[in-house]
Amino acid sequence: MTRLIQRVLNLQREDLGRGGLLFVYLFLVISSYVVGKAGRSALFLGKYAAVNLPYVTIAIAIGVGLVVAIYVRISRATTLHNLLVGSLVFFALNALGFWYGARHYKSAWLYPAFYIWVGIYGVLAPTQVWTLANHSLSTREARRLFGLVGSGAISGFIFGGFLTGQLVGRFGAESVLLGMALLTGACVIPVTLLLRPGNAVPVEPASAAEGQLAVADTRQGLGPYFLESLRLVGSSPYLRAIAALICLSSIATTIANWQFEALTQAHFTMDKNAIGRFLGDFYFYAGIACLLVQLLLTSRLLRRFGIGPGLFLVPLALLLGTSVLGIFGALWAAILLRGSDQVLRYSIDKSSVELLYLPVAPSIKLAVKSFIDTVVWRLGDGLAGIALLLVATWGGLSARQVSGVNLVFILGWISVALLARREYVNTLRESILQHRLDAKRVSAPELGRTATELLVDRLEATDPQEILYALGLLEIGSGQAHPAVRGLLDHPSPEVRQKAIVILGGFGDLSVRGRVEELLRDPHLEVRTEALLYLSRHAHLDPLTRIEELGDFADFSIGASLVAFLAHPGPAQNLPAAELLLEKMVNESGPEARRLRMEAARLVARLPKLFPDALRRLIDDSDPEVAAEAVRAAGELRSRPLVAPLLDRIAEPPLTAVVAGALARFGDSVVGTLRDHLTDPSVSMRTRREIPGVLAAIGTNDAARALREALLEPDTELRFRSIQALNKIYKAHPGAERDTQMIETVLAAEILGHYRSYQILGSLGESFPGDDPITRAPRESMDLELERIFRLLGLLYPRYDLHSAYFGLQSSDPVVHDNALEFLDNILRPQLRSVLVPLLDSGVSVAERVRLAHTLVGTKIESREQAVAALLASEEPWLKSCGAYAVGRLDLRQLESELDRCLEHEDPLLRETARQAKLRLSAEPPASV
């Protein structure tokens, strides 16, 4: 029976205990409130005219503020268990006292006092239940359990309405006071079970601000509590939206209730017992309708559409009901108006409003929730009372005519609901973003400083290699030479001095010309050579003259300096002679060949337009450093004939980054060629995988279109890099054109592929532990699938921080995980949400995902053989290798023919794995059947 209830209510095993006790607690609270509410209206309307109701409504608002302030002061000095139990005993004794007074004294003040007292109880007691539930449950637990807990309120309405009718019919209207006392006292039982003395939770200030509030509250009275609570609410746009929502809903529903009670009194001519029986029947039938809505719609609505629709149903229903009442002015119209409020308010609306509090920081949640749910709510009642006092009591408007006034408040309610929905999503996003930033601060505390500052700090290191590394990064990423580089001309390391001259010369820094001239007499040849090259380029120095003066310069430095001198514009320019010298350096094959070609490459990088033929040969040079210098020069020159040789070298790890950077400088002119290579199966996959990075650096609409054409490529690594490149383009250029339909198609394929992976994992996982190679590979592949899914979501929903949501879902903190999941629940379209959220919810088991996969994919994987065959059918060589390994490991001889195909694959790992699997099959006898 327990499993059946869990399945029907969509609960997990541990949910039913706490959820059941919260259900009983709220059931008893609402039952007692409904009995008291019907009784107070019957007793008051049997003695006083309905136009006097605004006075007691205003008195309730004032009384709630005073009682809550005292309640908060007490809460800071005791445990939550003692606070709740003590409050319930206090209210039960009050009800018993009112019953005794009604039977024996019947004083004129008694019925108005009871009306006010029930109003205060109706604010505080249900709020205690929801505060306890909100304090105990995470976002996802609340999504599962709030429907069950809310059913307790609805069941309480049904029972309270039924009990009211029976008590009034048999014992008179005053008997409801005794019934209320007994029901309130019974609430102590579930509270005691939920918060046993050994597990009592002390209500302590959770922040410095709250601690100061507690002290101020105790020593200075009630004022600081209101001021501090008001400050907390006023400081947050989200809390302001919640407060406005509660206040306007309270105004609108209080006016609607007044209309209902005024027409009820007129219909039954102030007969308190008739009014009591009618109200009891009304709450009974409204409760049944509310229960049906709760069971059939609430959970489904919240799971499928999130919080949004739930916030709008009640105001829209009241908008319709108020309009009908304004037209007809009859009791049946008032019943329709009040009934729609009762049916929807305590089913869909209550659960939706409670969900609004879940993203609020735990340190302030209890304080602001208590303030909003009590003071702000009753402030709305008080404002409604003032409005009714003006338009009905003093203005003389009838219940029908008041509908026009209430329409204004209902429209305001709808507007604020829109704002609250938007702020809810923003708050969830900020919550998961903060978690991501906090995690980054822990793992990388220096990230707050700029990259340049960090690199400049490294220039002061003692290790020359660390300085050279920092200089290399500054050379690539900076637009000018940092002043700290000039000081390195005096560094003890000759490599550092040489690199400093290179950087200063590359940026055209002429402020160090005098110091560089001094370095022509440096004891190290490399430094003197670099200084001569700097001066021949920037100071128009004749290198032959200085060489004769200084002597001891290697041939390669003489050649480079002469070429630079002869190529420089001016009277001494002689390009043919410079080209002859350069050709000799490029074609040199002697002992200094590498150093000569290196100098030639560096020289061509500075003068690329003068020597294009030499540049192409240097791009093809076998030495990576020589080729890298030539590639950089090609990026400066941007000559189309150089694109092909650049693409030929992009897959070589030492050159990949510099080639990609050079190609990116070509811009749109090279996108067509890149697209052809990207989608051409005959091109090496290693080359194809590097092209998305180049297109991302180009970042134009043409580049984005080329990347979208690769989104359905079978190679998962190429597909991932294409998606990643599109992410970068759209982040840098939010206005770039998007093919939403193509992205949605790819996303659907990735989601189905992820479900397919669960089918494979479900068939293999029962036989092998999670760290076994056979199951580890699919799990790791699924992590990559999930990352591709989120990157595609980032393309579809650019306004939202999907990366933080993805990061939050990986968190071991259930609150962070649930907030991330709730965030997705509120931004994804219903169709996408229904298939994606089960893949992300940690509460959904692998078996449940496998069952859903059978439905979505359309085919089943029911055995290990089918699972391994699916791995072998993958386009990913790594997964095929895992499948081949499994064939040998599990002795799946029926799949041996697949191993033969793997032996012909281009991937060496796959070929070797298949060979080992075949050897294992041949060494082992067939498994007995």
Side-chain angles (χ1 to χ4, degrees), residues 840-907:
L840 309 174
D841 191 345
S842 59
V844 179
S845 66
V846 171
E848 291 173 310
R849 291 172 184 171
V850 171
R851 285 195 294 270
L852 186 56
H854 292 337
T855 302
L856 293 174
V857 177
T859 58
K860 295 183 178 181
I861 295 179
E862 299 175 323
S863 65
R864 294 187 305 175
E865 290 79 4
Q866 290 178 331
V868 174
L871 288 175
L872 288 168
S874 170
E875 296 288 344
E876 177 59 47
W878 177 46
L879 291 179
K880 291 175 79 74
S881 298
C882 296
Y885 170 79
V887 170
R889 166 87 177 275
L890 303 177
D891 194 31
L892 301 177
R893 297 176 182 273
Q894 63 271 38
L895 297 176
E896 188 172 3
S897 60
E898 296 295 330
L899 295 179
D900 295 331
R901 296 189 182 91
C902 293
L903 290 173
E904 301 173 0
H905 199 277
E906 64 177 11
D907 186 79

Side-chain angles (χ1 to χ4, degrees), residues 377-422:
W377 186 8
R378 286 313 172 189
L379 173 64
D381 287 350
L383 294 175
I386 293 173
L388 288 170
L389 201 65
L390 294 174
V391 300
T393 306
W394 298 341
L397 294 183
S398 65
R400 176 181 179 180
Q401 293 169 327
V402 168
S403 296
V405 176
N406 205 18
L407 285 175
V408 176
F409 293 111
I410 295 173
L411 291 174
W413 180 0
I414 294 173
S415 300
V416 172
L418 288 169
L419 175 63
R421 165 67 168 73
R422 187 176 71 237

Side-chain angles (χ1 to χ4, degrees), residues 758-887:
Y758 270 109
Q759 290 181 307
I760 297 172
L761 186 65
S763 298
L764 295 174
E766 296 179 358
S767 306
F768 304 98
D771 59 348
D772 190 279
I774 294 180
T775 55
R776 185 171 64 244
R779 290 181 186 276
E780 291 176 358
S781 177
M782 291 166 70
D783 290 339
L784 297 176
E785 290 170 355
L786 197 59
E787 184 174 355
R788 291 198 299 271
I789 287 171
F790 266 87
R791 286 188 174 278
L792 288 166
L793 288 173
L795 298 177
L796 284 178
Y797 297 91
R799 294 190 301 114
Y800 300 107
D801 187 0
L802 272 300
H803 183 63
S804 291
Y806 175 73
F807 189 83
L809 288 170
Q810 316 306 313
S811 173
S812 58
D813 186 339
V815 174
V816 175
H817 172 87
D818 288 355
N819 282 347
L821 201 58
E822 182 71 10
F823 172 70
L824 291 174
D825 242 353
N826 281 273
I827 66 170
L828 300 179
R829 293 195 309 275
Q831 299 89 337
L832 181 56
R833 184 191 307 129
S834 63
V835 296
L836 183 57
V837 169
L839 291 173
L840 309 174
D841 191 345
S842 59
V844 179
S845 66
V846 171
E848 291 173 310
R849 291 172 184 171
V850 171
R851 285 195 294 270
L852 186 56
H854 292 337
T855 302
L856 293 174
V857 177
T859 58
K860 295 183 178 181
I861 295 179
E862 299 175 323
S863 65
R864 294 187 305 175
E865 290 79 4
Q866 290 178 331
V868 174
L871 288 175
L872 288 168
S874 170
E875 296 288 344
E876 177 59 47
W878 177 46
L879 291 179
K880 291 175 79 74
S881 298
C882 296
Y885 170 79
V887 170

Side-chain angles (χ1 to χ4, degrees), residues 253-269:
T253 53
T254 299
I255 292 175
N257 183 63
W258 179 85
Q259 292 175 288
F260 172 70
E261 292 189 344
L263 290 171
T264 298
Q265 183 187 55
H267 183 80
F268 292 103
T269 61

Side-chain angles (χ1 to χ4, degrees), residues 342-616:
Q342 292 293 307
V343 170
L344 297 176
R345 169 77 75 88
Y346 292 95
S347 56
I348 296 172
D349 182 74
K350 185 61 178 176
S351 297
S352 299
V353 171
E354 289 300 322
L355 285 173
L356 286 174
Y357 289 105
L358 292 171
V360 178
S363 60
I364 63 170
K365 182 185 295 185
L366 188 61
V368 298
K369 188 177 189 304
S370 298
F371 180 76
I372 292 174
D373 286 357
T374 54
V375 176
V376 174
W377 186 8
R378 286 313 172 189
L379 173 64
D381 287 350
L383 294 175
I386 293 173
L388 288 170
L389 201 65
L390 294 174
V391 300
T393 306
W394 298 341
L397 294 183
S398 65
R400 176 181 179 180
Q401 293 169 327
V402 168
S403 296
V405 176
N406 205 18
L407 285 175
V408 176
F409 293 111
I410 295 173
L411 291 174
W413 180 0
I414 294 173
S415 300
V416 172
L418 288 169
L419 175 63
R421 165 67 168 73
R422 187 176 71 237
E423 291 297 332
Y424 176 72
V425 174
N426 290 339
T427 303
L428 286 171
R429 179 178 60 201
E430 290 170 5
S431 171
I432 56 180
L433 175 61
Q434 188 60 46
H435 168 73
R436 173 184 164 197
L437 295 176
D438 290 344
K440 282 188 175 182
R441 291 191 193 100
V442 172
S443 61
E446 288 191 319
L447 286 179
R449 303 168 63 190
T450 67
T452 301
E453 289 173 338
L454 289 174
L455 293 175
V456 169
D457 283 351
R458 286 196 173 190
L459 297 182
E460 300 176 0
T462 57
D463 184 0
Q465 293 303 316
E466 189 171 351
I467 297 175
L468 290 172
Y469 173 74
L471 286 172
L473 293 179
L474 284 172
E475 183 180 18
I476 295 171
S478 178
Q480 59 183 357
H482 194 279
V485 178
R486 298 168 190 155
L488 295 177
L489 294 175
D490 297 316
H491 195 274
S493 169
E495 292 85 358
V496 172
R497 294 198 301 274
Q498 180 189 16
K499 187 64 175 178
I501 298 172
V502 171
I503 293 176
L504 293 169
F507 288 118
D509 189 341
L510 301 181
S511 65
V512 294
R513 174 179 168 180
R515 178 65 186 119
V516 174
E517 285 211 35
E518 295 176 7
L519 291 175
L520 288 173
R521 294 177 173 81
D522 192 274
H524 291 82
L525 177 61
E526 293 81 2
V527 178
R528 297 201 305 272
T529 300
E530 198 61 54
L532 181 63
L533 199 58
Y534 171 95
L535 293 170
S536 67
R537 182 182 180 191
H538 296 293
H540 314 310
L541 178 72
D542 186 344
L544 290 178
T545 302
R546 298 310 297 268
I547 289 168
E548 290 176 359
E549 295 174 3
L550 299 172
D552 194 22
F553 274 81
D555 289 342
F556 72 88
S557 65
I558 296 173
S561 298
L562 284 173
V563 173
F565 180 75
L566 294 172
H568 194 280
Q573 186 180 52
N574 189 339
L575 292 180
E579 188 170 4
L580 285 173
L581 285 173
L582 183 63
E583 287 289 330
K584 181 180 178 182
M585 294 174 68
V586 171
N587 297 322
E588 181 62 45
S589 58
E592 295 289 337
R594 179 184 179 277
R595 301 185 75 174
L596 279 169
R597 295 200 313 275
M598 189 68 190
E599 288 299 317
R602 290 169 55 191
L603 185 61
V604 170
R606 293 165 181 165
L607 307 167
K609 295 183 180 181
L610 298 180
F611 311 108
D613 293 336
L615 184 58
R616 178 160 188 156

